[in-house]
Amino acid sequence: MPAASSDQPEVPRIVQRPAEHLRIGEVVEIAGASSQVLLDASRLQALVDHSDPSISMAGQVGSQVKIRMGSRWLVANVRTQRMHQREAGLIVCQIDFLGEGEEERLTGRIFNFRRGVTRYPVPGTPLFAMTSADLKQVYAADSRPHIEVGTVYPTSDTRGALYVDALLGKHFALLGSTGTGKSTAAALILHRICDMMPDGHIVMVDPHGEYSKAFAQNGQLFDVGNLAMPYWLMNFEEHCEVFLTSHGADRQTDAEILAKCLLAARLKSKLALGNARVTVDTPIPYMLSDLIANIQNEMGRLDKATSSAPFLRIKGKIEEIKADPRYSFMFSGMLVGDTMLDFIAKVFRMPAEGKPISIIDVSGVPSDITATVVAVLSRMIFDFAIWSRKEKVRPVLLVCEEAHRYIPSDRVNEHSAVREVLSRIAKEGRKYGVSLGLITQRPSDLSEGVLSQCGTIIAMRLNNDRDQAHVRSAMPEGARGFLDSIPALRNRECIICGEGVSIPIRVSFDDLAESRRPASDDPAFSALWRENGGESEMIARVIARWRNKDNLNGNR
Protein backbone atom coordinates (compact mmCIF):
# COMPACT_ATOMS: atom_id res chain seq x y z
CA MET A 1 0.00 0.00 0.00
CA PRO A 2 1.25 3.47 -0.75
CA ALA A 3 2.43 5.46 2.19
CA ALA A 4 -0.04 7.95 3.52
CA SER A 5 0.65 11.48 2.36
CA SER A 6 1.88 13.90 4.98
CA ASP A 7 -1.00 16.31 4.29
CA GLN A 8 -3.68 13.83 5.35
CA PRO A 9 -5.38 14.73 8.67
CA GLU A 10 -4.04 12.83 11.70
CA VAL A 11 -6.46 10.30 13.18
CA PRO A 12 -7.21 11.43 16.74
CA ARG A 13 -6.10 9.09 19.58
CA ILE A 14 -8.88 7.47 21.50
CA VAL A 15 -9.07 8.71 25.07
CA GLN A 16 -11.05 6.57 27.46
CA ARG A 17 -12.87 8.88 29.83
CA PRO A 18 -13.84 7.63 33.30
CA ALA A 19 -17.08 5.67 33.39
CA GLU A 20 -20.07 7.88 33.99
CA HIS A 21 -21.10 5.83 37.01
CA LEU A 22 -17.96 7.15 38.81
CA ARG A 23 -19.22 10.71 38.49
CA ILE A 24 -20.52 11.71 41.91
CA GLY A 25 -21.04 15.48 41.75
CA GLU A 26 -19.71 18.83 40.58
CA VAL A 27 -17.73 21.85 41.75
CA VAL A 28 -19.87 24.80 42.90
CA GLU A 29 -17.35 27.18 44.46
CA ILE A 30 -13.58 27.74 44.20
CA ALA A 31 -11.67 29.47 46.99
CA GLY A 32 -7.98 28.66 46.76
CA ALA A 33 -6.87 25.69 48.85
CA SER A 34 -10.39 24.90 50.10
CA SER A 35 -13.41 24.76 47.80
CA GLN A 36 -17.04 23.61 47.83
CA VAL A 37 -18.66 20.80 45.84
CA LEU A 38 -22.12 19.24 45.57
CA LEU A 39 -22.41 15.44 45.75
CA ASP A 40 -25.35 13.40 44.49
CA ALA A 41 -26.46 11.18 47.39
CA SER A 42 -28.12 8.65 45.05
CA ARG A 43 -24.89 8.19 43.08
CA LEU A 44 -22.93 7.70 46.30
CA GLN A 45 -25.46 5.12 47.49
CA ALA A 46 -25.14 3.22 44.21
CA LEU A 47 -21.38 2.86 44.81
CA VAL A 48 -21.54 1.68 48.44
CA ASP A 49 -21.38 -2.02 47.51
CA HIS A 50 -18.67 -1.62 44.87
CA SER A 51 -15.90 -4.23 45.03
CA ASP A 52 -13.24 -1.51 45.00
CA PRO A 53 -13.03 -0.20 48.62
CA SER A 54 -11.90 3.22 47.45
CA ILE A 55 -14.92 3.62 45.18
CA SER A 56 -17.29 2.31 47.85
CA MET A 57 -16.08 5.07 50.18
CA ALA A 58 -16.51 7.81 47.60
CA GLY A 59 -17.55 11.14 49.05
CA GLN A 60 -17.04 10.21 52.70
CA VAL A 61 -15.12 12.53 55.02
CA GLY A 62 -11.42 11.75 54.62
CA SER A 63 -11.84 10.15 51.18
CA GLN A 64 -10.35 11.52 47.97
CA VAL A 65 -12.06 12.75 44.81
CA LYS A 66 -10.67 13.80 41.43
CA ILE A 67 -11.44 16.58 38.99
CA ARG A 68 -10.26 16.67 35.38
CA MET A 69 -8.49 19.80 34.15
CA GLY A 70 -7.62 19.24 30.50
CA SER A 71 -5.02 16.46 30.44
CA ARG A 72 -4.51 16.59 34.21
CA TRP A 73 -6.35 15.33 37.26
CA LEU A 74 -6.75 17.41 40.39
CA VAL A 75 -6.96 15.34 43.58
CA ALA A 76 -8.80 16.68 46.62
CA ASN A 77 -9.68 15.47 50.09
CA VAL A 78 -13.23 15.68 51.47
CA ARG A 79 -13.16 17.67 54.72
CA THR A 80 -16.82 18.22 55.73
CA GLN A 81 -20.32 17.18 54.69
CA ARG A 82 -23.82 18.60 55.25
CA MET A 83 -27.21 18.21 53.61
CA HIS A 84 -28.28 20.89 51.15
CA GLN A 85 -30.87 23.10 52.81
CA ARG A 86 -33.20 23.37 49.81
CA GLU A 87 -32.42 20.52 47.42
CA ALA A 88 -33.13 17.01 48.69
CA GLY A 89 -30.57 14.37 47.74
CA LEU A 90 -27.66 16.80 47.50
CA ILE A 91 -24.73 16.94 49.92
CA VAL A 92 -22.59 20.05 50.32
CA CYS A 93 -18.92 19.29 50.95
CA GLN A 94 -15.76 21.27 51.65
CA ILE A 95 -12.72 19.86 49.88
CA ASP A 96 -9.00 20.57 50.20
CA PHE A 97 -6.83 20.28 47.09
CA LEU A 98 -3.89 17.91 47.58
CA GLY A 99 -2.12 17.98 44.23
CA GLU A 100 -2.34 17.04 40.59
CA GLY A 101 -1.21 14.33 38.20
CA GLU A 102 -1.22 13.64 34.50
CA GLU A 103 -3.90 11.52 32.85
CA GLU A 104 -2.93 8.22 31.27
CA ARG A 105 -4.55 8.62 27.86
CA LEU A 106 -5.57 5.00 27.32
CA THR A 107 -6.99 4.24 30.76
CA GLY A 108 -7.79 7.67 32.21
CA ARG A 109 -5.82 6.85 35.36
CA ILE A 110 -3.55 9.23 37.26
CA PHE A 111 0.23 9.08 37.03
CA ASN A 112 3.16 11.34 37.81
CA PHE A 113 1.35 12.83 40.79
CA ARG A 114 2.86 15.80 42.65
CA ARG A 115 1.82 18.20 45.40
CA GLY A 116 0.36 21.59 44.53
CA VAL A 117 -2.15 22.95 42.02
CA THR A 118 -1.26 24.93 38.90
CA ARG A 119 -4.75 25.39 37.45
CA TYR A 120 -8.08 25.48 39.25
CA PRO A 121 -11.43 24.17 37.95
CA VAL A 122 -14.46 26.38 37.38
CA PRO A 123 -17.90 25.89 38.93
CA GLY A 124 -19.80 23.15 37.16
CA THR A 125 -16.74 20.93 36.56
CA PRO A 126 -17.66 17.25 37.15
CA LEU A 127 -16.34 15.39 40.19
CA PHE A 128 -15.35 11.70 40.09
CA ALA A 129 -14.65 8.95 42.61
CA MET A 130 -11.06 7.80 43.06
CA THR A 131 -10.25 4.16 42.37
CA SER A 132 -7.69 2.02 44.20
CA ALA A 133 -5.57 2.12 41.06
CA ASP A 134 -5.65 5.93 41.23
CA LEU A 135 -4.69 5.91 44.90
CA LYS A 136 -1.80 3.55 44.23
CA GLN A 137 -0.43 6.06 41.73
CA VAL A 138 -1.04 9.00 44.05
CA TYR A 139 0.58 7.36 47.08
CA ALA A 140 3.29 5.46 45.22
CA ALA A 141 6.73 6.39 46.53
CA ASP A 142 9.04 7.99 44.02
CA SER A 143 12.77 7.37 43.66
CA ARG A 144 13.69 9.27 46.84
CA PRO A 145 14.99 7.09 49.71
CA HIS A 146 11.98 5.92 51.70
CA ILE A 147 10.71 3.39 54.20
CA GLU A 148 7.35 1.62 54.01
CA VAL A 149 5.45 1.62 57.29
CA GLY A 150 1.96 0.36 56.50
CA THR A 151 -1.05 0.19 54.22
CA VAL A 152 -2.94 3.27 53.02
CA TYR A 153 -6.58 3.37 54.09
CA PRO A 154 -8.97 2.25 52.59
CA THR A 155 -6.90 0.11 50.20
CA SER A 156 -5.57 -3.33 51.01
CA ASP A 157 -2.33 -3.23 49.05
CA THR A 158 -1.26 0.41 48.57
CA ARG A 159 1.86 0.99 50.65
CA GLY A 160 2.34 4.07 52.80
CA ALA A 161 5.89 5.41 52.59
CA LEU A 162 7.91 7.98 54.51
CA TYR A 163 10.70 9.84 52.72
CA VAL A 164 13.67 9.50 55.05
CA ASP A 165 15.59 12.67 54.16
CA ALA A 166 12.51 14.88 54.46
CA LEU A 167 11.31 13.08 57.60
CA LEU A 168 14.62 13.49 59.44
CA GLY A 169 15.86 16.69 57.85
CA LYS A 170 12.92 18.74 59.11
CA HIS A 171 12.09 16.91 62.36
CA PHE A 172 8.99 14.84 63.10
CA ALA A 173 6.45 14.31 65.88
CA LEU A 174 4.56 11.11 66.72
CA LEU A 175 1.40 11.87 68.71
CA GLY A 176 -1.20 9.55 70.19
CA SER A 177 -3.14 8.77 73.35
CA THR A 178 -2.05 5.97 75.64
CA GLY A 179 -2.99 2.54 74.31
CA THR A 180 -3.15 3.47 70.63
CA GLY A 181 0.07 1.64 69.72
CA LYS A 182 2.30 4.71 69.79
CA SER A 183 5.37 2.95 71.22
CA THR A 184 5.09 0.09 68.73
CA ALA A 185 4.70 2.60 65.88
CA ALA A 186 7.84 4.43 67.05
CA ALA A 187 9.74 1.14 67.21
CA LEU A 188 8.52 0.20 63.71
CA ILE A 189 9.68 3.48 62.17
CA LEU A 190 13.07 3.35 63.91
CA HIS A 191 13.57 -0.31 62.97
CA ARG A 192 12.87 0.46 59.31
CA ILE A 193 15.36 3.35 59.43
CA CYS A 194 18.00 1.17 61.13
CA ASP A 195 17.46 -1.65 58.61
CA MET A 196 17.83 0.78 55.73
CA MET A 197 20.85 2.61 57.17
CA PRO A 198 22.83 0.32 59.50
CA ASP A 199 25.58 2.95 59.84
CA GLY A 200 23.25 5.65 61.16
CA HIS A 201 23.52 7.58 64.42
CA ILE A 202 20.35 7.59 66.54
CA VAL A 203 20.03 8.47 70.23
CA MET A 204 16.72 7.69 71.90
CA VAL A 205 15.74 8.90 75.38
CA ASP A 206 13.58 6.17 76.93
CA PRO A 207 11.94 7.32 80.21
CA HIS A 208 10.16 4.03 80.98
CA GLY A 209 12.62 1.34 79.89
CA GLU A 210 10.27 0.19 77.12
CA TYR A 211 12.59 0.08 74.12
CA SER A 212 15.55 -1.97 75.39
CA LYS A 213 13.71 -5.18 74.51
CA ALA A 214 12.81 -3.91 71.04
CA PHE A 215 16.40 -2.97 70.09
CA ALA A 216 18.32 -5.68 71.93
CA GLN A 217 19.66 -7.06 68.63
CA ASN A 218 20.41 -3.91 66.62
CA GLY A 219 20.93 -1.26 69.29
CA GLN A 220 23.29 -0.37 72.10
CA LEU A 221 21.50 -0.22 75.44
CA PHE A 222 22.48 2.19 78.22
CA ASP A 223 21.08 2.72 81.70
CA VAL A 224 22.39 3.86 85.06
CA GLY A 225 24.47 0.69 85.23
CA ASN A 226 26.64 1.38 82.19
CA LEU A 227 25.98 4.93 80.98
CA ALA A 228 28.95 6.41 82.92
CA MET A 229 28.21 10.01 81.93
CA PRO A 230 30.87 12.25 83.53
CA TYR A 231 29.51 15.13 85.63
CA TRP A 232 32.12 17.51 84.24
CA LEU A 233 30.42 17.40 80.83
CA MET A 234 27.70 19.64 82.30
CA ASN A 235 27.85 23.33 81.41
CA PHE A 236 27.37 26.00 84.06
CA GLU A 237 23.57 26.19 83.71
CA GLU A 238 23.29 22.44 84.18
CA HIS A 239 25.60 22.61 87.22
CA CYS A 240 23.23 25.18 88.70
CA GLU A 241 20.22 22.92 88.17
CA VAL A 242 21.90 20.09 90.07
CA PHE A 243 23.86 21.87 92.79
CA LEU A 244 21.73 24.92 93.62
CA THR A 245 18.59 24.61 95.74
CA SER A 246 17.82 28.28 96.42
CA HIS A 247 15.47 30.65 94.61
CA GLY A 248 15.17 34.34 93.84
CA ALA A 249 17.96 36.64 95.00
CA ASP A 250 19.63 33.82 96.96
CA ARG A 251 19.98 31.77 93.79
CA GLN A 252 21.81 34.58 92.03
CA THR A 253 24.24 34.81 94.94
CA ASP A 254 24.76 31.05 94.97
CA ALA A 255 25.31 31.03 91.20
CA GLU A 256 28.08 33.63 91.45
CA ILE A 257 29.86 31.57 94.11
CA LEU A 258 29.51 28.35 92.10
CA ALA A 259 30.78 30.03 88.91
CA LYS A 260 33.94 31.29 90.60
CA CYS A 261 34.71 27.99 92.34
CA LEU A 262 33.85 25.84 89.30
CA LEU A 263 36.14 27.83 87.00
CA ALA A 264 38.98 27.49 89.49
CA ALA A 265 38.42 23.73 89.65
CA ARG A 266 38.48 23.39 85.85
CA LEU A 267 41.64 25.47 85.60
CA LYS A 268 43.47 22.97 87.82
CA SER A 269 43.14 20.32 85.09
CA LYS A 270 46.17 19.50 82.96
CA LEU A 271 43.98 20.07 79.91
CA ALA A 272 43.51 23.70 80.97
CA LEU A 273 47.23 24.47 81.14
CA GLY A 274 48.15 27.08 78.56
CA ASN A 275 44.52 27.41 77.41
CA ALA A 276 43.34 30.97 77.99
CA ARG A 277 39.85 30.19 76.67
CA VAL A 278 38.71 27.92 79.50
CA THR A 279 35.33 28.99 80.92
CA VAL A 280 32.82 27.52 83.34
CA ASP A 281 31.20 25.82 80.31
CA THR A 282 34.35 24.21 78.87
CA PRO A 283 34.05 20.38 79.11
CA ILE A 284 37.32 19.85 80.96
CA PRO A 285 37.55 17.23 83.74
CA TYR A 286 37.78 18.44 87.32
CA MET A 287 37.50 16.75 90.70
CA LEU A 288 34.47 17.29 92.91
CA SER A 289 36.84 17.38 95.87
CA ASP A 290 38.59 20.37 94.28
CA LEU A 291 35.24 22.13 93.80
CA ILE A 292 34.32 21.51 97.45
CA ALA A 293 37.77 22.68 98.58
CA ASN A 294 37.40 25.89 96.57
CA ILE A 295 34.02 26.58 98.17
CA GLN A 296 35.53 25.93 101.60
CA ASN A 297 38.45 28.29 100.87
CA GLU A 298 36.15 31.05 99.65
CA MET A 299 34.05 30.65 102.78
CA GLY A 300 37.20 30.95 104.91
CA ARG A 301 37.92 34.36 103.41
CA LEU A 302 34.62 35.84 104.57
CA ASP A 303 34.56 38.55 107.18
CA LYS A 304 32.35 38.09 110.22
CA ALA A 305 29.57 40.27 108.82
CA THR A 306 29.07 38.12 105.73
CA SER A 307 26.83 35.09 105.92
CA SER A 308 28.32 31.70 105.15
CA ALA A 309 24.88 30.21 104.38
CA PRO A 310 25.27 30.26 100.55
CA PHE A 311 28.59 28.39 100.74
CA LEU A 312 27.19 25.82 103.17
CA ARG A 313 24.13 25.27 100.92
CA ILE A 314 26.21 24.54 97.83
CA LYS A 315 28.83 22.48 99.67
CA GLY A 316 26.16 20.43 101.44
CA LYS A 317 24.32 19.64 98.18
CA ILE A 318 27.50 18.57 96.36
CA GLU A 319 28.55 16.32 99.24
CA GLU A 320 25.04 14.83 99.40
CA ILE A 321 25.06 13.93 95.70
CA LYS A 322 28.62 12.64 95.84
CA ALA A 323 27.75 10.26 98.70
CA ASP A 324 24.42 9.03 97.25
CA PRO A 325 24.88 5.76 95.25
CA ARG A 326 21.84 6.62 93.08
CA TYR A 327 23.92 9.34 91.42
CA SER A 328 27.06 7.23 90.93
CA PHE A 329 26.38 6.74 87.19
CA MET A 330 27.26 10.42 86.80
CA PHE A 331 29.02 11.68 89.95
CA SER A 332 31.33 8.79 90.74
CA GLY A 333 34.96 9.55 91.55
CA MET A 334 35.84 7.03 88.84
CA LEU A 335 34.53 9.43 86.16
CA VAL A 336 37.19 12.10 86.61
CA GLY A 337 39.32 10.91 83.67
CA ASP A 338 39.12 12.46 80.20
CA THR A 339 36.65 9.99 78.66
CA MET A 340 34.85 12.50 76.43
CA LEU A 341 35.98 10.86 73.18
CA ASP A 342 34.94 7.37 74.28
CA PHE A 343 31.60 8.63 75.64
CA ILE A 344 30.67 10.45 72.43
CA ALA A 345 31.77 7.50 70.28
CA LYS A 346 29.71 4.94 72.20
CA VAL A 347 26.56 7.03 72.70
CA PHE A 348 26.47 8.62 69.22
CA ARG A 349 27.29 5.24 67.61
CA MET A 350 30.42 6.39 65.80
CA PRO A 351 31.14 3.88 64.36
CA ALA A 352 27.76 2.17 64.49
CA GLU A 353 29.15 -1.37 64.13
CA GLY A 354 25.76 -2.68 63.03
CA LYS A 355 23.98 -1.08 66.00
CA PRO A 356 22.99 2.40 64.81
CA ILE A 357 20.71 3.28 67.74
CA SER A 358 21.50 4.04 71.38
CA ILE A 359 18.66 3.47 73.82
CA ILE A 360 19.24 5.70 76.86
CA ASP A 361 17.03 4.21 79.59
CA VAL A 362 16.60 6.99 82.16
CA SER A 363 13.97 5.16 84.23
CA GLY A 364 16.58 4.47 86.93
CA VAL A 365 17.83 8.06 87.05
CA PRO A 366 16.72 10.01 90.16
CA SER A 367 13.79 12.18 89.11
CA ASP A 368 15.40 15.42 90.29
CA ILE A 369 18.20 15.16 87.72
CA THR A 370 16.46 13.31 84.87
CA ALA A 371 15.86 16.55 82.96
CA THR A 372 19.50 17.54 83.45
CA VAL A 373 20.73 14.19 82.10
CA VAL A 374 18.55 14.65 78.99
CA ALA A 375 19.80 18.25 78.70
CA VAL A 376 23.46 17.13 78.76
CA LEU A 377 22.87 14.44 76.12
CA SER A 378 20.88 16.80 73.87
CA ARG A 379 23.35 19.67 74.21
CA MET A 380 26.32 17.41 73.49
CA ILE A 381 24.67 16.24 70.28
CA PHE A 382 24.05 19.84 69.22
CA ASP A 383 27.46 21.16 70.30
CA PHE A 384 29.21 18.25 68.59
CA ALA A 385 27.38 19.08 65.36
CA ILE A 386 28.38 22.75 65.61
CA TRP A 387 32.06 22.06 66.34
CA SER A 388 32.29 19.41 63.59
CA ARG A 389 31.20 21.73 60.78
CA LYS A 390 34.66 21.55 59.18
CA GLU A 391 34.42 17.76 59.09
CA LYS A 392 32.34 15.44 56.96
CA VAL A 393 28.75 15.81 58.16
CA ARG A 394 27.54 12.93 60.31
CA PRO A 395 23.86 13.63 61.04
CA VAL A 396 22.43 12.49 64.38
CA LEU A 397 18.76 11.78 65.15
CA LEU A 398 17.65 12.52 68.72
CA VAL A 399 14.35 10.87 69.67
CA CYS A 400 12.58 11.98 72.87
CA GLU A 401 9.82 9.81 74.27
CA GLU A 402 7.40 11.67 76.61
CA ALA A 403 8.64 14.89 75.00
CA HIS A 404 6.14 17.09 76.87
CA ARG A 405 8.16 16.46 80.04
CA TYR A 406 11.19 18.22 78.61
CA ILE A 407 9.64 20.83 76.31
CA PRO A 408 6.46 21.89 78.13
CA SER A 409 3.86 24.20 76.66
CA ASP A 410 4.63 27.88 76.27
CA ARG A 411 2.03 28.47 79.00
CA VAL A 412 4.61 27.15 81.46
CA ASN A 413 7.02 29.94 82.30
CA GLU A 414 9.60 27.76 84.02
CA HIS A 415 13.06 27.96 82.49
CA SER A 416 15.15 24.80 82.21
CA ALA A 417 18.32 23.77 80.42
CA VAL A 418 16.66 20.86 78.61
CA ARG A 419 13.81 23.03 77.33
CA GLU A 420 16.26 25.59 76.01
CA VAL A 421 18.51 23.12 74.18
CA LEU A 422 15.66 21.09 72.64
CA SER A 423 13.96 24.29 71.51
CA ARG A 424 17.20 25.38 69.89
CA ILE A 425 17.60 22.02 68.15
CA ALA A 426 14.03 22.35 66.83
CA LYS A 427 14.82 25.79 65.39
CA GLU A 428 18.42 25.38 64.22
CA GLY A 429 19.27 21.68 64.30
CA ARG A 430 18.70 20.93 60.63
CA LYS A 431 21.39 23.47 59.66
CA TYR A 432 23.95 21.32 61.45
CA GLY A 433 22.63 17.85 60.74
CA VAL A 434 20.76 17.29 64.02
CA SER A 435 17.26 15.83 63.64
CA LEU A 436 14.63 15.78 66.37
CA GLY A 437 11.92 13.17 66.81
CA LEU A 438 9.27 13.93 69.45
CA ILE A 439 6.90 11.30 70.85
CA THR A 440 4.13 12.32 73.22
CA GLN A 441 0.65 11.38 74.40
CA ARG A 442 -0.18 14.96 75.38
CA PRO A 443 0.55 17.31 72.46
CA SER A 444 -1.36 20.11 74.19
CA ASP A 445 1.29 20.06 76.92
CA LEU A 446 4.09 20.31 74.34
CA SER A 447 5.57 23.66 73.35
CA GLU A 448 3.57 25.14 70.48
CA GLY A 449 6.70 26.64 68.94
CA VAL A 450 8.58 23.34 68.94
CA LEU A 451 5.66 21.36 67.52
CA SER A 452 5.32 23.89 64.71
CA GLN A 453 8.97 23.22 63.79
CA CYS A 454 8.22 19.54 63.12
CA GLY A 455 7.93 19.15 59.35
CA THR A 456 6.14 15.79 59.59
CA ILE A 457 3.25 15.06 61.95
CA ILE A 458 2.25 11.43 62.61
CA ALA A 459 -1.03 11.60 64.54
CA MET A 460 -2.62 8.51 66.04
CA ARG A 461 -5.93 8.54 67.93
CA LEU A 462 -6.27 11.45 70.34
CA ASN A 463 -9.15 11.33 72.80
CA ASN A 464 -8.74 14.75 74.40
CA ASP A 465 -10.38 17.75 72.71
CA ARG A 466 -7.53 20.06 73.71
CA ASP A 467 -4.97 17.68 72.19
CA GLN A 468 -6.97 17.48 68.97
CA ALA A 469 -7.17 21.27 68.72
CA HIS A 470 -3.43 21.55 69.34
CA VAL A 471 -2.63 19.12 66.53
CA ARG A 472 -5.13 20.82 64.24
CA SER A 473 -3.27 24.10 64.62
CA ALA A 474 0.04 22.44 63.76
CA MET A 475 -1.14 20.57 60.67
CA PRO A 476 -1.03 22.17 57.21
CA GLU A 477 -4.25 23.40 55.63
CA GLY A 478 -4.44 20.54 53.14
CA ALA A 479 -4.59 17.96 55.93
CA ARG A 480 -7.57 19.45 57.77
CA GLY A 481 -9.96 16.97 56.18
CA PHE A 482 -8.08 14.12 57.81
CA LEU A 483 -8.19 15.69 61.27
CA ASP A 484 -11.84 14.92 61.86
CA SER A 485 -11.03 11.22 61.69
CA ILE A 486 -8.33 11.36 64.41
CA PRO A 487 -10.75 10.57 67.29
CA ALA A 488 -12.11 7.62 65.27
CA LEU A 489 -8.79 6.04 64.31
CA ARG A 490 -8.33 2.43 65.30
CA ASN A 491 -5.29 1.22 67.23
CA ARG A 492 -2.13 1.24 65.09
CA GLU A 493 -3.70 3.67 62.61
CA CYS A 494 -2.45 7.17 62.00
CA ILE A 495 -2.70 10.28 59.88
CA ILE A 496 0.63 11.36 58.37
CA CYS A 497 1.10 14.79 56.85
CA GLY A 498 3.92 17.17 56.09
CA GLU A 499 7.31 16.90 54.43
CA GLY A 500 7.77 13.16 54.96
CA VAL A 501 4.90 12.21 52.62
CA SER A 502 3.81 13.37 49.19
CA ILE A 503 0.31 14.18 50.43
CA PRO A 504 -1.51 13.56 53.73
CA ILE A 505 -2.36 9.88 54.17
CA ARG A 506 -4.16 7.61 56.60
CA VAL A 507 -2.08 4.52 57.28
CA SER A 508 -2.54 1.26 59.13
CA PHE A 509 0.88 0.34 60.53
CA ASP A 510 2.48 -3.00 59.68
CA ASP A 511 2.74 -5.73 62.28
CA LEU A 512 6.05 -5.86 64.11
CA ALA A 513 7.75 -9.10 65.11
CA GLU A 514 7.39 -9.87 68.81
CA SER A 515 11.16 -9.60 69.38
CA ARG A 516 11.13 -6.08 67.92
CA ARG A 517 8.24 -4.70 69.96
CA PRO A 518 8.74 -2.48 73.00
CA ALA A 519 7.76 -3.75 76.45
CA SER A 520 4.71 -1.51 76.62
CA ASP A 521 1.78 -3.95 76.67
CA ASP A 522 -0.92 -3.23 79.22
CA PRO A 523 -1.40 -5.92 81.90
CA ALA A 524 -4.39 -8.20 81.36
CA PHE A 525 -6.31 -7.74 84.62
CA SER A 526 -8.95 -10.31 83.70
CA ALA A 527 -6.30 -13.04 83.40
CA LEU A 528 -3.77 -11.97 86.04
CA TRP A 529 -6.37 -11.51 88.77
CA ARG A 530 -7.44 -15.13 88.33
CA GLU A 531 -3.93 -16.38 89.17
CA ASN A 532 -2.66 -16.96 92.68
CA GLY A 533 0.25 -18.51 94.54
CA GLY A 534 3.82 -17.44 95.25
CA GLU A 535 2.88 -13.90 96.30
CA SER A 536 4.94 -13.89 99.51
CA GLU A 537 8.09 -15.08 97.73
CA MET A 538 7.57 -12.55 94.96
CA ILE A 539 7.18 -9.69 97.45
CA ALA A 540 10.37 -10.76 99.23
CA ARG A 541 12.32 -10.72 95.96
CA VAL A 542 10.94 -7.28 95.07
CA ILE A 543 11.85 -5.84 98.46
CA ALA A 544 15.37 -7.26 98.18
CA ARG A 545 15.88 -5.60 94.80
CA TRP A 546 14.28 -2.41 96.12
CA ARG A 547 16.61 -2.19 99.10
CA ASN A 548 19.74 -3.28 97.29
CA LYS A 549 19.07 -0.88 94.41
CA ASP A 550 19.61 -3.59 91.80
CA ASN A 551 18.23 -1.10 89.27
CA LEU A 552 21.66 0.57 89.42
CA ASN A 553 22.97 -2.51 87.63
CA GLY A 554 20.14 -2.56 85.15
CA ASN A 555 18.42 -5.54 86.84
CA ARG A 556 14.79 -4.52 86.97
Side-chain angles (χ1 to χ4, degrees), residues 175-450:
L175 318 170
S177 297
T178 300
T180 58
K182 183 170 75 292
S183 299
T184 304
L188 171 67
I189 293 170
L190 293 176
H191 271 304
R192 296 283 161 87
I193 292 174
C194 290
D195 292 344
M196 179 183 179
M197 297 169 288
D199 292 315
H201 314 292
I202 305 172
V203 179
M204 182 177 199
V205 177
D206 178 10
H208 303 302
E210 294 179 307
Y211 294 90
S212 296
K213 170 180 174 287
F215 293 93
Q217 301 300 320
N218 61 342
Q220 193 67 41
L221 314 178
F222 298 99
D223 56 21
V224 291
N226 65 348
L227 182 59
M229 183 170 74
Y231 57 87
W232 49 263
L233 288 174
M234 295 189 296
N235 63 15
F236 178 63
E237 183 178 4
E238 292 151 3
H239 273 85
C240 289
E241 286 192 352
V242 177
F243 291 153
L244 302 188
T245 58
S246 53
H247 302 279
D250 288 343
R251 189 175 183 85
Q252 180 61 35
T253 300
D254 292 1
E256 292 172 359
I257 294 170
L258 180 60
K260 183 176 181 180
C261 297
L262 176 59
L263 178 58
R266 289 199 192 274
L267 288 172
K268 287 189 68 174
S269 170
K270 293 180 180 179
L271 294 175
L273 295 178
N275 187 350
R277 298 182 178 179
V278 174
T279 70
V280 288
D281 291 331
T282 306
I284 287 179
Y286 72 90
M287 297 179 66
L288 285 174
S289 57
D290 287 339
L291 178 58
I292 294 173
N294 291 341
I295 295 171
Q296 186 71 41
N297 292 338
E298 289 295 319
M299 187 169 58
R301 296 191 182 115
L302 296 175
D303 55 44
K304 292 183 180 180
T306 307
S307 173
S308 62
F311 297 89
L312 293 175
R313 277 196 300 264
I314 303 171
K315 180 172 175 281
K317 184 62 176 180
I318 297 173
E319 290 175 338
E320 174 191 330
I321 289 177
K322 185 179 178 183
D324 193 330
R326 296 178 303 154
Y327 299 86
S328 61
F329 73 96
M330 188 173 181
F331 293 94
S332 169
M334 303 298 292
L335 298 176
V336 73
D338 184 13
T339 57
M340 188 172 180
L341 189 153
D342 293 337
F343 182 81
I344 288 176
K346 75 175 184 180
V347 173
F348 295 2
R349 310 307 306 142
M350 297 181 182
E353 298 177 336
K355 295 185 175 183
I357 183 170
S358 288
I359 303 297
I360 313 296
D361 179 358
V362 296
S363 60
V365 174
S367 59
D368 58 332
I369 66 165
T370 301
T372 305
V373 169
V374 178
V376 173
L377 289 168
S378 305
R379 181 183 51 77
M380 288 188 65
I381 291 172
F382 190 62
D383 285 352
F384 179 81
I386 290 176
W387 289 106
S388 62
R389 280 178 293 178
K390 293 184 179 180
E391 307 290 336
K392 181 181 178 181
V393 177
R394 286 176 171 80
V396 178
L397 167 62
L398 173 63
V399 183
C400 283
E401 175 68 272
E402 298 283 1
H404 59 275
R405 290 186 180 185
Y406 311 117
I407 329 171
S409 170
D410 299 340
R411 300 187 303 272
V412 178
N413 295 321
E414 296 178 5
H415 173 80
S416 67
V418 67
R419 179 177 180 174
E420 182 176 323
V421 68
L422 289 177
S423 297
R424 190 177 178 194
I425 290 174
K427 295 173 184 175
E428 307 173 31
R430 62 189 184 90
K431 301 176 185 176
Y432 305 106
V434 180
S435 177
L436 188 62
L438 304 178
I439 306 171
T440 180
Q441 60 186 350
R442 292 303 304 271
S444 60
D445 291 340
L446 189 67
S447 168
E448 293 89 342
V450 171

Side-chain angles (χ1 to χ4, degrees), residues 146-169:
H146 62 272
I147 54 172
E148 294 183 351
V149 294
T151 304
V152 177
Y153 179 85
T155 70
S156 59
D157 57 354
T158 301
R159 302 294 291 159
L162 287 168
Y163 295 110
V164 176
D165 291 330
L167 176 75
L168 303 183

Side-chain angles (χ1 to χ4, degrees), residues 177-181 183 210 461 491 518-528:
S177 297
T178 300
T180 58
S183 299
E210 294 179 307
R461 188 174 68 249
N491 286 352
S520 57
D521 292 338
D522 295 329
F525 287 79
S526 59
L528 295 174

